[in-house]
Amino acid sequence: MSILEVNGLKKVYATRFGGNKVEALKKVTFSVEEGEYVAIMGESGSGKTTLLNILAALDKPTGGVVKLDGWDFSQIRESAVAAFRRDNLGFVFQDFNLLDTFSLEDNIYLPLVLSEKHYAEMSERLAPIAVQLGITDILKKYPYEVSGGQKQRAAVARALITNPRLVLADEPTGYV
């Protein structure tokens, strides 16, 4: 069984008054097996970020089905979507989405804090990830104090620290 199944995915955007419609995604179908690495490539404006936002349950498709471990995203109650996302998905945003008033360490811990994990567990999870990504010595710094590549590695650490079923990354090597 595939970890991720996408079948007939469609996304149509309409202008404010519905006059013009743009079909960002049309009949997108694929599956991803556990442990598989998939890259989605295309020119600017081709729908890559739209697809990732739907896969991350940040946006809803106009049509089609997305399933993670057999769970149909459309069947998840709106009130449970954030918890589902936090518990199952890791997302590396193109622009990092780090909070400037938090240290890199606190930014990385944020999904675990929201899951009410204890500090000892958070610290234990972060240590090997920080070593592997080469950010151990900058964890106490703030995003405005580090380079784009260091911010990107902190964003990757934040995506990995929850041990998600699926990691989604929007241009993850843009700053590395």
Side-chain angles (χ1 to χ4, degrees), residues 96-135:
F96 320 122
N97 281 9
L98 298 174
L99 301 172
D100 283 335
T101 57
F102 284 19
S103 67
L104 295 181
E105 181 179 52
D106 290 339
N107 269 285
I108 296 166
Y109 284 160
L110 190 56
L112 296 179
V113 169
L114 296 172
S115 295
E116 300 180 356
K117 301 293 183 199
H118 294 285
Y119 180 79
E121 180 180 349
M122 292 190 290
S123 182
E124 186 177 306
R125 284 191 191 192
L126 178 55
I129 295 170
V131 168
Q132 190 171 14
L133 293 173
I135 58 172

Side-chain angles (χ1 to χ4, degrees), residues 25-51:
L25 300 175
K26 180 179 180 180
K27 298 181 185 175
V28 176
T29 299
F30 66 94
S31 63
V32 178
E33 301 298 321
E34 188 157 357
E36 187 175 14
Y37 174 87
V38 176
I40 299 169
M41 301 183 326
E43 61 187 42
S44 180
S46 64
K48 299 178 304 292
T49 298
T50 297
L51 175 61

